[in-house]
Amino acid sequence: MLKSISIIYPVFNEEERLSKTFLDIKKFEKVNKFIKKEYIFVNDGSFDKSLLIIRNEIKKNNKIKIVSYKKNMGKGYALKRGVQIAKNEWILTSDADCSVSNFQLTKWVEKKYIKQNTFIYFGSRNHPLSIVKKKITRKLVGIIFKLLIRLFFEIKISDTQCGFKLYKLNIAKKIFKKISTNGYMHDIEICIIAKILNLRIEDLPVKWTHVNDSKINFLSDVFKVVFSLIKISKLKY
């Protein structure tokens, strides 16, 4: 039984999409009244109205917390800051565009996917039970990326990059303390560190919807991605 959860959202210039996220939180609150919750928004150097929007929501819901700093550091760094202050039994990381609803967690619990001896769960868009709405180009990018990580690392996770991930609190704190990658390639480090610590990662199905204006453009950033993978491959733990 999942009794308490800290949900962490990294935020960088999300003013156009935060309304959907807060609506999802509001609905999640009503349905899951018996779960202790906190929502941690990490403002990763946004220069739009994201910080103002989050502060306004804090006035309506005292379970919403914020970590904010002026310089954009990257998704990995933002999640690390959120994990540092999380207090509940489990930590869920989620993207601020709400491509996966918090209700996915409810479904995981209802289906009894959360097991006593497994402490890390990755939402996977490649799981056979997943419902995924995305463009063909995104699918091709996903295939290319999987080939790249298999080239650099022996990672068997079907989808490392889906932002919807669940961790036991102490495990999350242990892993994120070791992560040195600030950008969105931090997920690869999570897999490597979990393997070193002999921690099993289980893939779980998600209902995932593509949201326009993604901050990640794999095609234009392909050289940055390859450079990041090379850098990670040389890290010592």
Side-chain angles (χ1 to χ4, degrees):
M1 178 64 181
L2 194 150
K3 296 179 181 178
S4 65
I5 186 80
S6 298
I7 304 179
I8 303 172
Y9 301 91
V11 177
F12 177 60
N13 293 343
E14 296 286 357
E15 66 176 5
E16 299 295 329
R17 304 193 282 195
L18 281 172
S19 58
K20 183 182 176 183
T21 305
F22 285 117
L23 179 60
D24 191 66
I25 288 174
K26 188 176 181 180
K27 292 178 179 178
F28 186 72
E29 280 281 295
K30 288 182 179 179
V31 175
N32 298 279
K33 293 181 179 179
F34 300 106
I35 298 175
K36 183 183 177 183
K37 298 174 289 293
E38 65 175 355
Y39 306 93
I40 302 170
F41 285 80
V42 184
N43 177 44
D44 184 30
S46 299
F47 50 81
D48 64 354
K49 295 180 181 178
S50 294
L51 182 57
L52 178 63
I53 293 169
I54 297 166
R55 283 176 173 166
N56 285 335
E57 289 296 327
I58 289 174
K59 296 174 185 177
K60 305 173 190 175
N61 185 346
N62 61 10
K63 295 176 185 176
I64 296 173
K65 299 178 181 179
I66 189 166
V67 176
S68 185
Y69 42 89
K70 292 183 179 181
K71 184 180 179 181
N72 176 243
M73 297 296 293
K75 186 177 180 180
Y77 181 87
L79 289 175
K80 181 184 282 193
R81 291 289 300 271
V83 167
Q84 284 174 351
I85 69 164
K87 296 179 180 177
N88 288 333
E89 175 192 15
W90 289 89
I91 289 178
L92 177 70
T93 65
S94 184
D95 291 333
D97 63 10
C98 209
S99 50
V100 179
S101 167
N102 286 335
F103 284 95
Q104 186 65 67
L105 178 63
T106 308
K107 289 180 181 179
W108 285 357
V109 173
E110 288 174 353
K111 295 284 185 179
K112 297 181 180 179
Y113 289 146
I114 313 303
K115 300 169 186 174
Q116 193 171 6
N117 58 347
T118 304
F119 308 116
I120 310 173
Y121 301 87
F122 279 17
S124 172
R125 292 160 293 189
N126 298 318
H127 193 285
L129 296 179
S130 289
I131 300 170
V132 178
K133 296 179 182 178
K134 62 180 175 180
K135 296 177 180 179
I136 296 296
T137 51
R138 296 277 298 197
K139 290 183 180 180
L140 290 172
V141 164
I143 293 169
I144 293 168
F145 186 77
K146 281 179 70 175
L147 290 172
L148 277 175
I149 64 168
R150 284 179 183 177
L151 178 66
F152 285 100
F153 315 98
E154 292 182 8
I155 294 175
K156 297 179 180 179
I157 305 302
S158 67
D159 184 2
T160 58
Q161 300 310 112
C162 179
F164 202 81
K165 295 178 171 72
L166 182 68
Y167 310 82
K168 198 79 173 182
L169 177 67
N170 63 321
I171 298 300
K173 287 186 180 291
K174 187 179 292 186
I175 288 175
F176 277 88
K177 189 176 181 180
K178 294 178 179 290
I179 286 174
S180 60
T181 303
N182 287 339
Y184 54 84
M185 289 296 105
H186 74 280
D187 301 282
I188 307 302
E189 271 204 84
I190 292 171
C191 297
I192 294 169
I193 294 166
K195 188 176 181 179
I196 291 170
L197 296 175
N198 291 316
L199 294 168
R200 181 171 176 265
I201 299 173
E202 185 164 343
D203 287 341
L204 293 181
V206 290
K207 182 178 180 181
W208 189 90
T209 305
H210 171 73
V211 181
N212 290 325
D213 301 320
S214 171
K215 301 295 183 302
I216 301 170
N217 189 326
F218 187 89
L219 293 175
S220 64
D221 294 341
V222 65
F223 294 108
K224 290 181 182 178
V225 170
V226 172
F227 178 75
S228 293
L229 293 177
I230 292 171
K231 190 176 179 181
I232 291 169
S233 70
K234 294 180 178 179
L235 292 173
K236 304 293 181 184
Y237 298 96

